[in-house]
């Protein structure tokens, strides 16, 4: 039954916990051929989902608005109302033996939830990154996301936000039992943080084990970002993985915010630089980061094209594995591209960088509100592009995510003086 309910777009957009509750509350109701499933003007028992058989809607002669519509109901179709005093507006008659799953009036509030991740939680009370990943369902396969005013922007819509919100939209168009195992995305245009982003999901394929989705992020009528994601039902199989490299325990490391704060009193940093840092408004990221090898963010010096840091979402996340994968996607674009810039840094050199594409492979379940080690390196930079690869490990040493990204890295041109 869970597989049947999970195939329905009406339910796919809900928190997975809601779909599981609905599956436990559904009642079966049988109808013989010619029998009324519903009668016009009479109140029904709730919302009906046709599981087997076929029925026909027979509107009254005054119902001209239904004249050109397909009035047949087959497996996967649904009808009915959530309020006990709401009357059916047409007759529904069985054309064959029909079995319906009926969700009673008293439980139909499960069909709507303020948060797509947790039916019991309001989005204003959840962690910032979960709030960022809350999408408004506009219609089937169409969602709206926003850039929160107090979230990091980096001048334009943050790339990690586009990846994670697009993955969230795709996740809300598949069976809740399915989880993303890979995504491949392209950044096409810069996004405007002041405008909402429309995510249009295209259902490329639904198979028994795998489903594929294509998502377009749209602003002002233009596609600014595109993502392909593949989803899989849980399956047992062969196992091996590269062990986690030695890394200092995150509890022994200083947070990124404390590291930046320490610059304000560091005598090795010129007073002018410290004053400039003190005047900057620093907004805490929704993701907490602790570098394994802290470095000086004021004096830029060349170093090896690799880095490691521990990260986790600030606050407690809802218990939905799809959400945790979206949070890892959000965090994956933080400082990832910078790895390819490390060998080229020096004081006074201005560099512009921009993500071009981003891919992720999710290997095992994990919790993004617990520490994950993000190890990354850049094997090559060439042709104005930097290539980066990365791996994410749990604190227990399991490899859970692999990543690759290419970005544009260029020397920033100095403005030409006008004489």
């Amino acid at each position: 039954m869970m597989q049947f309910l999970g195939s329905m777009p009406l339910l796919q957009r809900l928190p997975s916990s809601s779909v599981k509750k609905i599956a436990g509350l559904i009642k079966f109701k049988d109808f013989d051929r010619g029998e009324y499933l519903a009668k016009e003007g009479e109140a029904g028992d709730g919302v009906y989902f046709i599981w087997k058989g076929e029925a026909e809607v027979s509107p009254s002669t005054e119902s001209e608005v239904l004249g050109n519509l397909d009035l047949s109901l087959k497996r996967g179709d649904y009808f009915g109302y959530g309020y006990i005093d709401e009357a059916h507006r047409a007759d529904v008659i069985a054309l064959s033996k029909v079995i319906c799953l009926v969700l009673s009036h008293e439980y139909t509030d499960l069909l709507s939830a303020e948060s797509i991740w947790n039916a019991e939680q309001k989005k204003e009370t959840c962690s910032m990154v979960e709030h960022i990943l809350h999408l408004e369902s506009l219609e089937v396969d169409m969602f709206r996301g926003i850039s929160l005013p107090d979230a990091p922007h980096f001048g334009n819509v943050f790339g990690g936000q586009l990846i994670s919100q697009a993955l969230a939209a795709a996740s809300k168009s598949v069976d809740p039992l399915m989880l993303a195992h890979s995504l491949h995305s392209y950044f096409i245009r810069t996004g405007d943080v002041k405008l909402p982003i429309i995510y249009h999901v295209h259902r490329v394929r639904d198979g028994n084990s795998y489903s594929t989705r294509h998502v377009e992020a749209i602003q002002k009528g233009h596609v600014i970002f595109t993502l392909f994601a593949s989803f899989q039902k849980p399956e047992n199989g062969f196992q091996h993985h590269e062990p986690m490299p030695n890394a200092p325990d995150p509890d022994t490391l200083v947070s990124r915010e404390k590291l930046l704060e320490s610059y304000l009193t560091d005598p090795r940093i010129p007073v002018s630089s410290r004053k400039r840092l003190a005047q900057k408004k620093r907004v805490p990221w929704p993701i907490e980061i602790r570098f394994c090898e802290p470095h000086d963010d004021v004096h830029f010096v060349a170093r090896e094209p690799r880095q490691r840091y521990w990260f986790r979402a600030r606050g407690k996340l809802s218990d939905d594995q799809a959400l945790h994968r979206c949070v890892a996607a959000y965090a994956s674009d933080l400082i990832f591209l910078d790895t390819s810039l490390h060998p080229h840094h020096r004081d006074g050199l201005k560099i512009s960088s921009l993500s071009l594409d981003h891919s992720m492979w999710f290997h095992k379940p994990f919790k993004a509100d617990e520490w994950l080690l993000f190890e990354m390196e850049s094997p090559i930079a060439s042709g104005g592009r930097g290539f980066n690869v990365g791996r994410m490990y749990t604190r227990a040493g399991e490899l859970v995510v692999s990543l690759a990204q290419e970005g544009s890295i260029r020397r920033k041109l100095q403005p030409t003086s006008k004489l």
Side-chain angles (χ1 to χ4, degrees):
M1 185 199 299
M2 184 65 184
Q3 182 175 356
F4 168 70
L5 295 175
S7 68
M8 305 178 69
L10 176 70
L11 304 182
Q12 289 171 345
R13 61 184 182 175
L14 300 175
S16 59
S17 59
S18 295
V19 182
K20 291 173 184 176
K21 285 182 181 178
I22 289 171
L25 296 168
I26 285 287
K27 302 294 184 184
F28 288 87
K29 198 167 184 179
D30 296 352
F31 301 89
D32 291 324
R33 182 178 179 179
E35 191 173 352
Y36 284 85
L37 281 69
K39 287 189 176 182
E40 184 178 358
E42 294 184 3
D45 295 330
V47 177
Y48 294 68
F49 302 92
I50 295 183
W51 192 32
K52 291 183 179 178
E54 186 175 353
E56 181 181 44
V57 180
S58 179
S60 62
T61 54
E62 293 88 17
S63 302
E64 297 178 1
V65 70
L66 298 176
N68 297 322
L69 298 181
D70 181 5
L71 301 179
S72 63
L73 297 174
K74 301 180 180 64
R75 175 180 170 85
D77 289 331
Y78 46 86
F79 66 92
Y81 303 98
Y83 300 106
I84 197 166
D85 57 350
E86 185 109 34
H88 288 291
R89 298 172 189 171
D91 293 333
V92 181
I93 305 170
L95 297 177
S96 64
K97 183 175 179 59
V98 174
I99 301 177
C100 286
L101 307 181
V102 182
L103 182 66
S104 175
H105 293 293
E106 59 186 306
Y107 303 121
T108 52
D109 59 333
L110 289 170
L111 296 175
S112 59
E114 184 170 342
S115 168
I116 62 174
W117 304 113
N118 189 331
E120 286 77 39
Q121 188 175 45
K122 294 184 179 296
K123 60 183 180 182
E124 289 80 8
T125 62
C126 64
S127 69
M128 182 185 289
V129 69
E130 186 169 338
H131 192 177
I132 291 169
L133 289 168
H134 170 80
L135 302 179
E136 179 187 357
S137 178
L138 301 177
E139 56 182 83
V140 174
D141 299 336
M142 196 77 73
F143 301 85
R144 177 163 51 207
I146 61 170
S147 302
L148 294 182
D150 52 352
H153 294 150
F154 309 102
N156 302 300
V157 176
F158 168 46
Q161 176 183 324
L162 289 168
I163 301 166
S164 57
Q165 287 183 337
L167 180 60
S171 299
K172 290 301 166 182
S173 71
V174 297
D175 185 331
L177 294 177
M178 284 190 157
L179 293 170
H181 72 88
S182 69
L183 66 83
H184 306 277
S185 60
Y186 287 91
F187 299 91
I188 300 171
R189 297 170 182 255
T190 56
D192 187 338
V193 297
K194 297 177 183 177
L195 298 176
I197 306 166
I198 303 302
Y199 293 94
H200 186 191
V201 181
H202 302 273
R203 297 171 180 250
V204 179
R205 179 182 182 271
D206 283 307
N208 292 327
S209 299
Y210 294 89
S211 289
T212 308
R213 296 292 184 264
H214 173 215
V215 184
E216 294 177 314
I218 303 167
Q219 278 189 330
K220 298 179 181 178
H222 298 290
V223 176
I224 63 171
F225 173 83
T226 186
L227 173 143
F228 278 90
S230 182
F231 296 80
Q232 181 191 18
K233 288 183 180 176
E235 184 177 322
N236 294 323
F238 303 111
Q239 292 199 43
H240 77 272
H241 74 84
E242 189 75 15
M244 183 178 76
N246 291 328
D249 190 275
D251 290 337
T252 66
L253 301 174
V254 178
S255 70
R256 174 180 170 272
E257 283 71 25
K258 287 187 177 179
L259 188 64
L260 292 174
E261 194 70 26
S262 71
Y263 295 157
L264 301 179
T265 56
D266 191 335
R268 297 170 300 172
I269 298 174
V271 174
S272 59
S273 297
R274 282 187 269 161
K275 286 181 178 179
R276 190 167 60 252
L277 287 172
Q279 291 170 354
K280 280 187 177 180
K281 181 183 177 182
R282 288 197 295 274
V283 179
W285 287 355
I287 304 295
E288 182 179 359
I289 287 178
R290 298 189 181 184
F291 290 100
C292 294
E293 297 88 17
H295 50 270
D296 188 343
D297 279 332
V298 178
H299 290 132
F300 292 104
V301 295
R303 59 185 189 274
E304 290 189 345
R306 54 180 52 87
Q307 60 181 333
R308 300 176 300 165
Y309 63 70
W310 291 95
F311 77 91
R312 64 182 176 187
R314 296 187 187 277
K316 182 70 175 173
L317 297 175
S318 297
D319 189 20
D320 188 322
Q321 181 55 210
L323 169 64
H324 289 259
R325 297 187 184 207
C326 291
V327 171
Y330 181 93
S332 69
D333 198 37
L334 290 170
I335 324 176
F336 193 17
L337 182 55
D338 288 0
T339 314
S340 60
L341 299 174
H342 285 184
H344 314 287
H345 275 313
R346 67 173 185 270
D347 278 342
L349 177 63
K350 302 294 183 182
I351 298 175
S352 66
S353 60
L354 190 69
S355 300
L356 295 173
D357 56 50
H358 193 100
S359 296
M360 300 181 72
W361 295 264
F362 302 94
H363 309 305
K364 293 182 177 182
F366 57 88
K367 293 183 71 65
D369 52 4
E370 297 179 357
W371 288 117
L372 295 169
L373 178 68
F374 190 1
E375 176 195 38
M376 59 203 89
E377 64 176 334
S378 174
I380 186 172
S382 177
R385 304 182 312 278
F387 178 66
N388 306 275
V389 293
R391 294 174 178 175
M392 293 179 180
Y393 296 86
T394 65
R395 204 168 181 177
E398 285 193 305
L399 175 61
V400 291
V401 184
S402 297
L403 310 93
Q405 185 188 70
E406 189 173 50
S408 168
I409 54 173
R410 293 169 172 160
R411 185 190 303 268
K412 189 176 288 186
L413 298 176
Q414 298 298 328
T416 306
S417 357
K418 294 185 179 178
L419 300 176

